[in-house]
Amino acid sequence: MKVSVILPVYNVEPYLDEALKSLTSQTLGDIEIIAINDGSTDHSEEILKRYQEQYPFFSYYNQPNQGQSAARNHALRYAQGEYIYFMDSDDKADIDMLRLCYEYAEGNHADFIFFDGEKLMEEGARPVAWNYKRTHLLEEHKRYDGETLLRLMLNTQKHNCVVWLLFIRKSFLERLGLRFYEGIIHEDELFTTILTLSSNNIYCLKRSFIDHRIRKSSTMGISYSKRNINCYLTVADELLRFSKAPIIHKFLCYTLSKVFYTGHLIPFKDKPTVFWRALRSGYLKYIGLKSSIVFWVK
């Protein structure tokens, strides 16, 4: 089996058929698609059932709603592919994506490769300032180590944590024993940072392969809340458990300053508890004076 595609599914009925068509039409043979129905309450499971009946390489499993991390970890138990690709169930993939990624990763013996994506904004979703393009900063067929790569992305303000821009060798993932932290949002920040810093064998492919939908109800489309900040603080806690190297401190300065600057949007009544948690954890040095002031008074 060449590639296992892992697809968490939760109440994406209007988009799921388009996502699955883009995967079942892939020009690479010998793949499997593993969907986890994470307690959907709409008709998503009916769509999954239809695809499972139609395509022998498609399977799905049910679990009570536990979030995207738990769904991805669940699917990894069944994955048989040489490579893993984690896709969001409301996105759309280029039909050549898996073939070109597989050929490129195999040709370079990469631990993982990354590529670019496009934003697909749903009407009414909160505008986002960033994009999913960073490969223009790098060279194809050049090996990068994770620390050098992460430092470059932080220095150029092009860091992007999303896992759906990565194509990962399963044996590398298994050597690390890396799984998604369950019970939080922004889990990709933790997963991809550890993945990146654990490798000295990373390559970029200068192509855009995925249309990423930003919805009103998606993680990146909803209003900023206390939960967003608390989950980022959990990521910080776990990264410092992983390593206290200078690159981790640089990453936390980059991330937490932005998190608390944006945190001025949360209700004032929620601010004391999250700020106290950050202060108690010694994270004020990462947040910085400017972001702290904006957090409280903007």
Side-chain angles (χ1 to χ4, degrees), residues 11-260:
N11 289 354
V12 287
E13 179 186 352
Y15 318 104
L16 185 55
D17 198 57
E18 184 177 28
L20 294 178
K21 282 180 180 176
S22 75
L23 289 174
T24 55
S25 301
Q26 289 291 308
T27 56
L28 179 69
D30 198 24
I31 69 170
E32 63 178 357
I33 303 165
I34 305 169
I36 302 296
N37 179 35
D38 185 35
S40 295
T41 56
D42 63 0
H43 294 97
S44 292
E45 187 181 359
E46 294 174 19
I47 298 171
L48 295 175
K49 188 176 295 184
R50 172 160 51 86
Y51 273 82
Q52 182 169 257
E53 291 169 352
Q54 187 174 356
Y55 297 98
F57 56 88
F58 181 91
S59 59
Y60 82 92
Y61 302 87
N62 287 314
Q63 68 174 31
N65 181 245
Q66 299 174 59
Q68 189 161 247
S69 290
R72 288 170 173 167
N73 291 341
H74 186 174
L76 279 169
R77 302 176 202 165
Y78 307 109
Q80 299 296 315
E82 298 170 54
Y83 292 88
I84 304 292
Y85 178 65
F86 298 100
M87 182 166 151
D88 284 359
S89 54
D90 53 357
D91 289 353
K92 181 182 177 183
D94 185 295
I95 63 170
D96 293 319
M97 177 181 72
L98 297 182
R99 177 176 60 82
L100 294 177
C101 285
Y102 180 83
E103 291 171 356
Y104 184 73
E106 279 289 277
N108 288 289
H109 308 287
D111 289 337
F112 69 91
I113 69 169
F114 63 94
F115 46 86
D116 291 332
E118 306 290 338
K119 290 187 294 187
L120 186 59
M121 298 294 300
E122 182 181 73
E123 185 178 354
R126 180 167 58 89
V128 293
W130 62 86
N131 61 43
Y132 298 109
K133 297 183 182 298
R134 53 184 170 156
T135 62
H136 63 280
L137 298 171
L138 303 164
E139 300 175 36
E140 281 192 347
H141 300 290
K142 178 178 178 179
R143 180 173 61 86
Y144 291 89
D145 70 88
E147 184 171 339
T148 299
L149 184 61
L150 182 56
R151 182 173 285 108
L152 172 64
M153 295 302 164
L154 296 175
N155 287 342
T156 56
Q157 301 288 304
K158 285 294 184 181
H159 169 66
N160 205 304
C161 70
V162 293
V163 73
W164 40 263
L165 292 178
L166 309 181
F167 187 80
I168 307 166
R169 189 180 295 272
K170 184 188 175 193
S171 59
F172 173 62
L173 202 56
E174 289 176 335
R175 283 201 308 276
L176 297 181
L178 184 59
R179 293 295 184 266
F180 291 89
Y181 191 101
E182 298 186 14
I184 63 170
I185 54 176
H186 308 301
E187 67 281 349
D188 284 7
E189 292 276 1
L190 179 60
F191 183 92
T192 60
T193 302
I194 293 176
L195 185 81
T196 299
L197 291 177
S198 300
S199 177
N200 62 1
N201 191 29
I202 305 166
Y203 289 79
C204 82
L205 180 54
K206 292 175 178 279
R207 289 283 301 268
S208 279
F209 283 128
I210 198 83
D211 290 333
H212 178 65
R213 195 182 308 271
I214 299 175
R215 300 185 281 125
K216 289 183 289 186
S217 58
S218 66
T219 303
M220 302 315 301
I222 59 176
S223 299
Y224 212 69
S225 70
K226 176 182 176 180
R227 186 184 182 205
N228 292 85
I229 299 177
N230 271 321
C231 289
Y232 275 115
L233 291 174
T234 297
V235 168
D237 294 343
E238 293 302 315
L239 283 176
L240 286 170
R241 288 191 183 97
F242 168 70
S243 172
K244 291 182 173 58
I247 189 64
I248 296 292
H249 298 290
K250 185 178 182 69
F251 173 86
L252 293 179
C253 285
Y254 176 92
T255 303
L256 292 183
S257 62
K258 295 178 185 295
V259 166
F260 276 82

Side-chain angles (χ1 to χ4, degrees), residues 263-290:
H264 74 269
L265 296 169
I266 73 172
F268 190 85
K269 64 181 177 62
D270 292 336
K271 291 184 179 183
T273 55
V274 293
F275 197 82
W276 172 243
R277 177 181 172 185
L279 188 65
R280 192 176 67 245
S281 299
Y283 294 160
L284 194 58
K285 61 181 178 289
Y286 302 128
I287 298 167
L289 181 60
K290 179 181 178 181

